[in-house]
Short mmCIF file of all heavy atoms in Angstrom, two decimals:
data_model
loop_
_atom_site.label_atom_id
_atom_site.label_comp_id
_atom_site.label_asym_id
_atom_site.label_seq_id
_atom_site.Cartn_x
_atom_site.Cartn_y
_atom_site.Cartn_z
N MET A 802 -13.13 127.32 66.28
CA MET A 802 -14.50 127.64 65.99
C MET A 802 -14.95 128.75 66.98
O MET A 802 -14.81 128.43 68.24
CB MET A 802 -15.31 126.41 66.08
CG MET A 802 -16.48 126.50 65.20
SD MET A 802 -17.13 124.92 64.64
CE MET A 802 -18.83 125.16 65.03
N PRO A 803 -15.44 129.72 66.54
CA PRO A 803 -15.99 130.88 67.40
C PRO A 803 -17.27 130.32 68.11
O PRO A 803 -17.81 129.32 67.92
CB PRO A 803 -16.35 132.01 66.49
CG PRO A 803 -16.42 131.49 65.09
CD PRO A 803 -15.54 130.14 65.06
N ASN A 804 -17.54 131.18 69.06
CA ASN A 804 -18.78 130.79 69.99
C ASN A 804 -20.02 130.95 69.22
O ASN A 804 -20.75 131.95 69.22
CB ASN A 804 -18.77 131.89 71.17
CG ASN A 804 -19.70 131.38 72.21
OD1 ASN A 804 -20.17 130.28 72.22
ND2 ASN A 804 -20.12 132.35 73.16
N GLN A 805 -20.42 129.70 68.67
CA GLN A 805 -21.68 129.76 67.86
C GLN A 805 -22.64 128.52 68.32
O GLN A 805 -22.88 127.69 67.58
CB GLN A 805 -21.43 129.60 66.34
CG GLN A 805 -21.03 130.91 65.73
CD GLN A 805 -21.00 130.83 64.25
OE1 GLN A 805 -21.00 129.86 63.66
NE2 GLN A 805 -21.05 131.91 63.62
N SER A 806 -22.81 128.48 69.62
CA SER A 806 -23.55 127.30 70.14
C SER A 806 -25.15 127.62 70.19
O SER A 806 -25.81 127.02 70.99
CB SER A 806 -23.03 127.08 71.57
OG SER A 806 -23.05 128.28 72.39
N GLY A 807 -25.56 128.45 69.22
CA GLY A 807 -26.96 128.74 69.07
C GLY A 807 -27.49 129.76 70.18
O GLY A 807 -28.67 130.09 70.24
N LYS A 808 -26.64 130.23 70.94
CA LYS A 808 -27.03 131.29 72.02
C LYS A 808 -27.09 132.71 71.34
O LYS A 808 -26.24 133.06 70.47
CB LYS A 808 -25.98 131.35 73.08
CG LYS A 808 -26.63 131.09 74.42
CD LYS A 808 -25.52 131.10 75.51
CE LYS A 808 -26.28 131.22 76.96
NZ LYS A 808 -25.34 131.31 77.97
N ALA A 809 -28.17 133.38 71.68
CA ALA A 809 -28.23 134.78 71.06
C ALA A 809 -27.27 135.66 71.66
O ALA A 809 -26.85 135.73 72.80
CB ALA A 809 -29.61 135.27 71.40
N ASN A 810 -26.75 136.50 70.78
CA ASN A 810 -25.80 137.62 71.19
C ASN A 810 -26.55 138.51 72.13
O ASN A 810 -27.52 139.13 71.73
CB ASN A 810 -25.35 138.21 69.94
CG ASN A 810 -24.18 139.25 70.25
OD1 ASN A 810 -23.87 139.64 71.39
ND2 ASN A 810 -23.38 139.55 69.23
N PRO A 811 -26.03 138.74 73.32
CA PRO A 811 -26.74 139.69 74.25
C PRO A 811 -26.70 141.17 73.71
O PRO A 811 -27.60 141.86 74.10
CB PRO A 811 -25.99 139.56 75.51
CG PRO A 811 -24.58 139.02 75.15
CD PRO A 811 -24.90 138.21 73.87
N HIS A 812 -25.73 141.44 72.93
CA HIS A 812 -25.70 142.78 72.31
C HIS A 812 -25.83 142.71 70.79
O HIS A 812 -24.86 142.32 70.12
CB HIS A 812 -24.46 143.46 72.65
CG HIS A 812 -24.22 143.53 74.15
ND1 HIS A 812 -25.00 144.48 74.97
CD2 HIS A 812 -23.28 143.05 74.96
CE1 HIS A 812 -24.55 144.28 76.21
NE2 HIS A 812 -23.53 143.40 76.27
N PRO A 813 -27.06 143.08 70.28
CA PRO A 813 -27.22 143.01 68.82
C PRO A 813 -26.20 144.01 68.02
O PRO A 813 -26.04 145.14 68.56
CB PRO A 813 -28.62 143.46 68.54
CG PRO A 813 -29.06 144.13 69.85
CD PRO A 813 -28.22 143.57 70.97
N THR A 814 -25.52 143.50 67.06
CA THR A 814 -24.58 144.29 66.39
C THR A 814 -25.21 144.92 65.08
O THR A 814 -24.68 145.89 64.70
CB THR A 814 -23.36 143.41 65.97
OG1 THR A 814 -23.95 142.21 65.38
CG2 THR A 814 -22.60 142.96 67.24
N HIS A 815 -26.27 144.24 64.57
CA HIS A 815 -26.77 144.80 63.37
C HIS A 815 -28.37 144.88 63.46
O HIS A 815 -28.96 144.13 64.18
CB HIS A 815 -26.58 143.75 62.15
CG HIS A 815 -25.05 143.71 61.92
ND1 HIS A 815 -24.31 144.87 61.51
CD2 HIS A 815 -24.20 142.70 61.93
CE1 HIS A 815 -23.08 144.36 61.34
NE2 HIS A 815 -22.97 143.21 61.63
N LYS A 816 -28.86 145.86 62.74
CA LYS A 816 -30.37 146.16 62.71
C LYS A 816 -30.85 146.14 61.37
O LYS A 816 -30.23 146.96 60.57
CB LYS A 816 -30.60 147.39 63.58
CG LYS A 816 -32.12 147.73 63.83
CD LYS A 816 -32.15 148.93 64.76
CE LYS A 816 -33.47 149.61 64.60
NZ LYS A 816 -33.52 150.84 65.28
N CYS A 817 -31.92 145.51 61.05
CA CYS A 817 -32.46 145.52 59.68
C CYS A 817 -32.83 146.99 59.29
O CYS A 817 -33.65 147.55 60.06
CB CYS A 817 -33.56 144.55 59.55
SG CYS A 817 -34.47 144.68 57.98
N SER A 818 -32.47 147.51 58.29
CA SER A 818 -32.91 148.85 57.83
C SER A 818 -34.37 148.94 57.27
O SER A 818 -34.83 150.02 57.14
CB SER A 818 -31.96 149.35 56.65
OG SER A 818 -30.66 149.19 57.02
N PHE A 819 -34.93 147.81 57.10
CA PHE A 819 -36.31 147.79 56.54
C PHE A 819 -37.33 147.64 57.60
O PHE A 819 -38.32 148.37 57.66
CB PHE A 819 -36.48 146.67 55.54
CG PHE A 819 -35.60 146.88 54.28
CD1 PHE A 819 -34.30 146.63 54.19
CD2 PHE A 819 -36.29 147.34 53.16
CE1 PHE A 819 -33.55 146.84 53.10
CE2 PHE A 819 -35.53 147.60 51.97
CZ PHE A 819 -34.25 147.23 51.91
N CYS A 820 -37.19 146.65 58.56
CA CYS A 820 -38.17 146.43 59.53
C CYS A 820 -37.78 146.76 60.97
O CYS A 820 -38.42 146.87 61.91
CB CYS A 820 -38.68 145.02 59.51
SG CYS A 820 -37.43 143.77 60.07
N GLY A 821 -36.38 147.00 61.03
CA GLY A 821 -35.87 147.41 62.40
C GLY A 821 -35.51 146.37 63.34
O GLY A 821 -35.16 146.58 64.41
N LYS A 822 -35.81 145.09 62.87
CA LYS A 822 -35.30 143.95 63.78
C LYS A 822 -33.84 143.76 63.91
O LYS A 822 -33.19 144.13 62.95
CB LYS A 822 -35.93 142.73 63.33
CG LYS A 822 -37.43 142.64 63.51
CD LYS A 822 -38.08 141.33 62.94
CE LYS A 822 -39.56 141.21 63.16
NZ LYS A 822 -40.15 140.08 62.49
N THR A 823 -33.33 143.39 65.12
CA THR A 823 -31.95 143.19 65.28
C THR A 823 -31.53 141.81 64.96
O THR A 823 -32.39 140.87 64.72
CB THR A 823 -31.50 143.51 66.67
OG1 THR A 823 -32.13 142.54 67.58
CG2 THR A 823 -31.98 144.86 67.06
N ASN A 824 -30.28 141.55 64.81
CA ASN A 824 -29.85 140.15 64.57
C ASN A 824 -30.13 139.22 65.65
O ASN A 824 -30.01 138.00 65.43
CB ASN A 824 -28.30 140.17 64.33
CG ASN A 824 -27.52 140.76 65.41
OD1 ASN A 824 -27.92 141.80 66.00
ND2 ASN A 824 -26.36 140.15 65.74
N ASN A 825 -30.61 139.59 66.82
CA ASN A 825 -31.14 138.80 67.94
C ASN A 825 -32.58 138.32 67.58
O ASN A 825 -32.99 137.24 67.92
CB ASN A 825 -31.13 139.51 69.11
CG ASN A 825 -29.76 139.51 69.80
OD1 ASN A 825 -28.84 138.89 69.30
ND2 ASN A 825 -29.53 140.18 70.86
N ASP A 826 -33.33 139.04 66.76
CA ASP A 826 -34.75 138.80 66.48
C ASP A 826 -34.92 137.82 65.29
O ASP A 826 -35.91 137.25 65.11
CB ASP A 826 -35.44 140.14 66.18
CG ASP A 826 -35.36 141.08 67.48
OD1 ASP A 826 -35.45 140.65 68.52
OD2 ASP A 826 -35.25 142.36 67.19
N VAL A 827 -33.93 137.90 64.39
CA VAL A 827 -34.18 137.09 63.12
C VAL A 827 -32.93 136.16 63.01
O VAL A 827 -31.93 136.29 63.76
CB VAL A 827 -34.06 138.08 61.90
CG1 VAL A 827 -35.32 138.99 61.95
CG2 VAL A 827 -32.87 138.86 61.83
N ALA A 828 -33.09 135.26 62.09
CA ALA A 828 -32.03 134.19 61.94
C ALA A 828 -30.80 134.83 61.32
O ALA A 828 -29.66 134.50 61.62
CB ALA A 828 -32.64 133.03 61.01
N THR A 829 -31.03 135.59 60.25
CA THR A 829 -29.90 136.12 59.41
C THR A 829 -30.04 137.53 59.08
O THR A 829 -31.17 137.92 58.87
CB THR A 829 -29.77 135.28 58.12
OG1 THR A 829 -29.81 133.89 58.39
CG2 THR A 829 -28.52 135.67 57.42
N ILE A 830 -29.00 138.35 59.25
CA ILE A 830 -29.09 139.77 58.71
C ILE A 830 -27.86 139.82 57.78
O ILE A 830 -26.70 139.49 57.98
CB ILE A 830 -28.88 140.70 59.87
CG1 ILE A 830 -30.15 140.83 60.64
CG2 ILE A 830 -28.32 142.10 59.36
CD1 ILE A 830 -30.35 142.16 61.37
N ILE A 831 -28.17 140.35 56.61
CA ILE A 831 -27.20 140.63 55.61
C ILE A 831 -26.87 142.03 55.56
O ILE A 831 -27.69 142.91 55.47
CB ILE A 831 -27.79 140.15 54.17
CG1 ILE A 831 -28.15 138.72 54.16
CG2 ILE A 831 -26.77 140.56 53.09
CD1 ILE A 831 -29.14 138.32 53.05
N THR A 832 -25.56 142.28 55.70
CA THR A 832 -25.11 143.71 55.69
C THR A 832 -24.67 144.15 54.43
O THR A 832 -23.94 143.51 53.66
CB THR A 832 -24.05 143.80 56.80
OG1 THR A 832 -22.90 143.01 56.34
CG2 THR A 832 -24.49 143.43 58.18
N GLY A 833 -24.96 145.37 54.16
CA GLY A 833 -24.48 146.02 52.84
C GLY A 833 -23.81 147.36 53.25
O GLY A 833 -23.31 147.53 54.38
N ASP A 834 -23.54 148.12 52.24
CA ASP A 834 -22.90 149.35 52.30
C ASP A 834 -23.64 150.39 53.08
O ASP A 834 -24.58 151.02 52.38
CB ASP A 834 -22.44 149.93 50.92
CG ASP A 834 -21.46 151.02 51.20
OD1 ASP A 834 -20.92 151.30 52.37
OD2 ASP A 834 -21.24 151.78 50.10
N GLY A 835 -23.74 150.43 54.35
CA GLY A 835 -24.54 151.44 55.17
C GLY A 835 -25.90 150.95 55.37
O GLY A 835 -26.74 151.73 55.84
N ALA A 836 -26.23 149.66 55.07
CA ALA A 836 -27.59 149.12 55.24
C ALA A 836 -27.58 147.76 55.58
O ALA A 836 -26.64 146.99 55.24
CB ALA A 836 -28.46 149.44 54.08
N CYS A 837 -28.57 147.21 56.25
CA CYS A 837 -28.73 145.94 56.61
C CYS A 837 -30.23 145.44 56.19
O CYS A 837 -31.10 146.22 56.27
CB CYS A 837 -28.54 145.64 58.09
SG CYS A 837 -26.91 146.12 58.61
N ILE A 838 -30.28 144.12 55.91
CA ILE A 838 -31.53 143.58 55.67
C ILE A 838 -31.68 142.15 56.25
O ILE A 838 -30.65 141.42 56.19
CB ILE A 838 -31.87 143.60 54.12
CG1 ILE A 838 -33.29 143.12 53.91
CG2 ILE A 838 -30.88 142.64 53.35
CD1 ILE A 838 -33.72 143.37 52.48
N CYS A 839 -32.83 141.91 56.82
CA CYS A 839 -32.91 140.56 57.56
C CYS A 839 -33.46 139.54 56.52
O CYS A 839 -34.01 139.94 55.59
CB CYS A 839 -33.78 140.67 58.83
SG CYS A 839 -35.58 140.89 58.50
N ASP A 840 -33.49 138.29 56.96
CA ASP A 840 -33.96 137.23 56.12
C ASP A 840 -35.46 137.47 55.78
O ASP A 840 -35.92 137.04 54.74
CB ASP A 840 -33.60 135.89 56.69
CG ASP A 840 -34.21 135.65 58.12
OD1 ASP A 840 -34.49 136.69 58.69
OD2 ASP A 840 -34.11 134.62 58.52
N GLU A 841 -36.17 137.90 56.85
CA GLU A 841 -37.61 138.04 56.61
C GLU A 841 -37.86 139.00 55.43
O GLU A 841 -38.74 138.92 54.63
CB GLU A 841 -38.34 138.53 57.85
CG GLU A 841 -38.23 137.31 58.89
CD GLU A 841 -38.80 137.79 60.24
OE1 GLU A 841 -39.49 138.80 60.23
OE2 GLU A 841 -38.50 137.13 61.24
N CYS A 842 -37.24 140.16 55.49
CA CYS A 842 -37.31 141.29 54.47
C CYS A 842 -36.82 140.74 53.17
O CYS A 842 -37.35 141.16 52.10
CB CYS A 842 -36.63 142.54 54.89
SG CYS A 842 -37.37 143.32 56.33
N VAL A 843 -35.88 139.82 53.12
CA VAL A 843 -35.40 139.35 51.91
C VAL A 843 -36.42 138.61 51.21
O VAL A 843 -36.66 138.61 49.97
CB VAL A 843 -34.10 138.42 52.10
CG1 VAL A 843 -33.77 137.66 50.86
CG2 VAL A 843 -32.96 139.33 52.47
N TYR A 844 -37.16 137.68 51.97
CA TYR A 844 -38.26 136.93 51.44
C TYR A 844 -39.39 137.82 50.83
O TYR A 844 -39.88 137.51 49.71
CB TYR A 844 -38.89 136.07 52.45
CG TYR A 844 -38.11 134.79 52.88
CD1 TYR A 844 -37.71 134.55 54.09
CD2 TYR A 844 -37.90 133.91 51.82
CE1 TYR A 844 -36.95 133.48 54.35
CE2 TYR A 844 -37.06 132.81 52.13
CZ TYR A 844 -36.66 132.60 53.40
OH TYR A 844 -35.90 131.38 53.63
N VAL A 845 -39.61 138.92 51.55
CA VAL A 845 -40.68 139.92 50.96
C VAL A 845 -40.15 140.46 49.66
O VAL A 845 -40.97 140.56 48.67
CB VAL A 845 -40.94 141.05 52.03
CG1 VAL A 845 -41.76 142.08 51.48
CG2 VAL A 845 -41.52 140.44 53.32
N CYS A 846 -38.89 140.84 49.66
CA CYS A 846 -38.32 141.32 48.42
C CYS A 846 -38.31 140.40 47.29
O CYS A 846 -38.76 140.75 46.14
CB CYS A 846 -36.94 141.89 48.61
SG CYS A 846 -36.73 143.28 49.72
N VAL A 847 -37.99 139.17 47.62
CA VAL A 847 -37.95 138.20 46.53
C VAL A 847 -39.36 137.93 45.90
O VAL A 847 -39.57 137.88 44.79
CB VAL A 847 -37.41 136.86 47.11
CG1 VAL A 847 -37.74 135.74 46.12
CG2 VAL A 847 -35.86 136.94 47.31
N GLU A 848 -40.30 138.01 46.77
CA GLU A 848 -41.67 137.79 46.43
C GLU A 848 -42.16 139.03 45.53
O GLU A 848 -42.73 138.74 44.38
CB GLU A 848 -42.60 137.76 47.71
CG GLU A 848 -43.83 137.02 47.60
CD GLU A 848 -44.66 136.83 48.85
OE1 GLU A 848 -45.33 137.82 49.14
OE2 GLU A 848 -44.41 135.89 49.60
N ILE A 849 -41.77 140.14 45.83
CA ILE A 849 -42.22 141.28 45.03
C ILE A 849 -41.55 141.23 43.66
O ILE A 849 -42.10 141.46 42.65
CB ILE A 849 -41.69 142.62 45.74
CG1 ILE A 849 -42.60 142.75 47.00
CG2 ILE A 849 -41.94 143.89 44.77
CD1 ILE A 849 -42.07 143.92 47.92
N ILE A 850 -40.28 140.93 43.63
CA ILE A 850 -39.50 140.76 42.40
C ILE A 850 -40.06 139.71 41.52
O ILE A 850 -40.24 139.91 40.33
CB ILE A 850 -37.97 140.51 42.73
CG1 ILE A 850 -37.39 141.75 43.23
CG2 ILE A 850 -37.23 140.11 41.49
CD1 ILE A 850 -35.93 141.67 43.79
N PHE A 851 -40.48 138.57 42.12
CA PHE A 851 -40.96 137.51 41.29
C PHE A 851 -42.34 137.83 40.72
O PHE A 851 -42.63 137.52 39.65
CB PHE A 851 -41.03 136.18 42.11
CG PHE A 851 -39.73 135.34 41.92
CD1 PHE A 851 -38.69 135.56 42.81
CD2 PHE A 851 -39.76 134.34 41.01
CE1 PHE A 851 -37.57 134.77 42.57
CE2 PHE A 851 -38.57 133.53 40.88
CZ PHE A 851 -37.43 133.80 41.63
N LYS A 852 -43.10 138.48 41.54
CA LYS A 852 -44.40 138.85 41.02
C LYS A 852 -44.27 139.91 39.87
O LYS A 852 -44.96 139.84 38.93
CB LYS A 852 -45.21 139.62 42.18
CG LYS A 852 -45.96 138.53 42.99
CD LYS A 852 -46.79 139.18 44.14
CE LYS A 852 -47.36 138.21 45.17
NZ LYS A 852 -47.78 138.75 46.42
N GLN A 853 -43.43 140.85 39.98
CA GLN A 853 -43.10 141.87 39.01
C GLN A 853 -42.72 141.25 37.80
O GLN A 853 -43.03 141.47 36.67
CB GLN A 853 -42.16 142.90 39.46
CG GLN A 853 -42.88 144.16 39.91
CD GLN A 853 -41.84 145.19 40.48
OE1 GLN A 853 -40.61 144.99 40.30
NE2 GLN A 853 -42.28 146.24 41.11
N ASN A 854 -41.74 140.26 38.00
CA ASN A 854 -41.03 139.60 36.91
C ASN A 854 -42.16 138.71 36.05
O ASN A 854 -42.09 138.72 34.96
CB ASN A 854 -40.05 138.53 37.43
CG ASN A 854 -38.78 138.51 36.64
OD1 ASN A 854 -38.82 138.75 35.41
ND2 ASN A 854 -37.62 138.15 37.13
N ARG A 855 -42.96 138.26 36.76
CA ARG A 855 -43.98 137.32 36.05
C ARG A 855 -44.95 138.22 35.22
O ARG A 855 -45.32 137.93 34.18
CB ARG A 855 -44.83 136.52 37.15
CG ARG A 855 -45.59 135.39 36.57
CD ARG A 855 -46.49 134.70 37.52
NE ARG A 855 -45.78 134.27 38.72
CZ ARG A 855 -46.46 133.81 39.79
NH1 ARG A 855 -47.65 133.97 39.90
NH2 ARG A 855 -45.73 133.40 40.85
N ARG A 856 -45.28 139.36 35.89
CA ARG A 856 -46.22 140.27 35.19
C ARG A 856 -45.57 140.76 33.82
O ARG A 856 -46.10 140.70 32.81
CB ARG A 856 -46.56 141.42 36.11
CG ARG A 856 -47.82 142.16 35.55
CD ARG A 856 -48.16 143.46 36.29
NE ARG A 856 -48.14 143.24 37.67
CZ ARG A 856 -47.92 144.23 38.74
NH1 ARG A 856 -47.49 145.35 38.27
NH2 ARG A 856 -47.86 143.92 39.95
N THR A 857 -44.36 141.34 33.91
CA THR A 857 -43.74 141.84 32.81
C THR A 857 -43.46 140.70 31.86
O THR A 857 -43.45 140.92 30.61
CB THR A 857 -42.32 142.44 33.20
OG1 THR A 857 -41.61 141.65 34.03
CG2 THR A 857 -42.56 143.91 33.79
N HIS A 858 -43.18 139.54 32.38
CA HIS A 858 -42.81 138.39 31.52
C HIS A 858 -44.04 137.97 30.69
O HIS A 858 -43.93 137.74 29.45
CB HIS A 858 -42.44 137.18 32.36
CG HIS A 858 -41.48 136.21 31.64
ND1 HIS A 858 -40.14 136.53 31.51
CD2 HIS A 858 -41.64 135.05 31.16
CE1 HIS A 858 -39.51 135.55 30.84
NE2 HIS A 858 -40.46 134.71 30.61
N SER A 859 -45.22 137.96 31.34
CA SER A 859 -46.44 137.44 30.59
C SER A 859 -46.85 138.46 29.44
O SER A 859 -47.52 138.13 28.60
CB SER A 859 -47.58 137.23 31.56
OG SER A 859 -47.81 138.39 32.30
N GLU A 860 -46.49 139.81 29.71
CA GLU A 860 -46.85 140.71 28.67
C GLU A 860 -46.05 140.45 27.37
O GLU A 860 -46.57 140.63 26.27
CB GLU A 860 -46.50 142.12 29.14
CG GLU A 860 -47.47 142.72 30.06
CD GLU A 860 -47.10 144.08 30.67
OE1 GLU A 860 -46.11 144.66 30.17
OE2 GLU A 860 -47.66 144.60 31.54
N HIS A 861 -44.80 140.11 27.49
CA HIS A 861 -44.04 139.90 26.26
C HIS A 861 -44.25 138.40 25.76
O HIS A 861 -44.38 138.28 24.67
CB HIS A 861 -42.47 140.09 26.66
CG HIS A 861 -42.25 141.53 26.79
ND1 HIS A 861 -42.04 142.41 25.78
CD2 HIS A 861 -42.16 142.33 27.96
CE1 HIS A 861 -41.86 143.60 26.23
NE2 HIS A 861 -41.88 143.53 27.53
N ASP A 862 -44.09 137.48 26.65
CA ASP A 862 -44.11 136.08 26.31
C ASP A 862 -45.42 135.44 26.52
O ASP A 862 -45.74 134.93 27.61
CB ASP A 862 -43.03 135.42 27.11
CG ASP A 862 -42.79 134.08 26.49
OD1 ASP A 862 -43.11 133.80 25.39
OD2 ASP A 862 -42.19 133.17 27.29
N VAL A 863 -46.32 135.44 25.50
CA VAL A 863 -47.64 135.00 25.63
C VAL A 863 -47.76 133.41 25.62
O VAL A 863 -48.50 132.77 26.35
CB VAL A 863 -48.73 135.49 24.59
CG1 VAL A 863 -50.09 135.67 25.17
CG2 VAL A 863 -48.17 136.90 24.17
N ASN A 864 -47.00 132.83 24.63
CA ASN A 864 -47.03 131.42 24.43
C ASN A 864 -45.69 130.75 24.88
O ASN A 864 -45.04 130.11 24.11
CB ASN A 864 -47.39 131.05 23.08
CG ASN A 864 -46.52 131.85 22.04
OD1 ASN A 864 -45.74 132.64 22.49
ND2 ASN A 864 -46.62 131.52 20.73
N GLY A 865 -45.31 131.06 26.08
CA GLY A 865 -44.10 130.52 26.64
C GLY A 865 -44.19 129.05 26.98
O GLY A 865 -43.44 128.23 26.52
N GLU A 866 -45.09 128.80 27.88
CA GLU A 866 -45.10 127.36 28.41
C GLU A 866 -45.95 126.54 27.42
O GLU A 866 -46.82 126.97 26.58
CB GLU A 866 -46.01 127.39 29.66
CG GLU A 866 -45.32 128.10 30.80
CD GLU A 866 -43.95 127.48 31.18
OE1 GLU A 866 -43.93 126.21 31.37
OE2 GLU A 866 -42.91 128.18 31.24
N SER A 867 -45.54 125.29 27.32
CA SER A 867 -46.22 124.35 26.40
C SER A 867 -47.66 124.11 26.78
O SER A 867 -48.03 123.86 27.83
CB SER A 867 -45.45 123.00 26.39
OG SER A 867 -45.65 122.29 27.46
N HIS A 868 -48.53 124.10 25.72
CA HIS A 868 -49.93 123.91 26.03
C HIS A 868 -50.29 122.60 25.49
O HIS A 868 -51.55 122.19 25.50
CB HIS A 868 -50.73 125.06 25.24
CG HIS A 868 -51.51 125.87 26.19
ND1 HIS A 868 -52.79 125.62 26.57
CD2 HIS A 868 -51.19 126.98 26.94
CE1 HIS A 868 -53.21 126.53 27.41
NE2 HIS A 868 -52.26 127.32 27.61
N ALA A 869 -49.41 121.82 24.86
CA ALA A 869 -49.75 120.52 24.31
C ALA A 869 -50.26 119.54 25.31
O ALA A 869 -49.86 119.52 26.48
CB ALA A 869 -48.64 120.00 23.52
N ASN A 870 -51.09 118.64 24.85
CA ASN A 870 -51.71 117.48 25.56
C ASN A 870 -53.01 117.22 25.36
O ASN A 870 -53.88 118.00 25.71
CB ASN A 870 -51.52 117.57 27.15
CG ASN A 870 -50.77 116.30 27.69
OD1 ASN A 870 -50.82 115.26 26.96
ND2 ASN A 870 -50.13 116.36 28.83
ZN1 LIG B 603 -36.11 143.13 58.17
#
């Protein structure tokens, strides 16, 4: 098992392309092709996508949820 005793890496290897935080500053950094994103920015992105999704969804689907009771 590699050295993963919860100690921060003294030399950050990755930096979030969105907010600029390093893998020392956040819990998780996801690396892509030439770009990185931290878990905090992922949450922001998910929030934006869900909000957009809900808006476009409600335009099409007016009576989606059950109203009975
Ligand atoms: Zn970030």
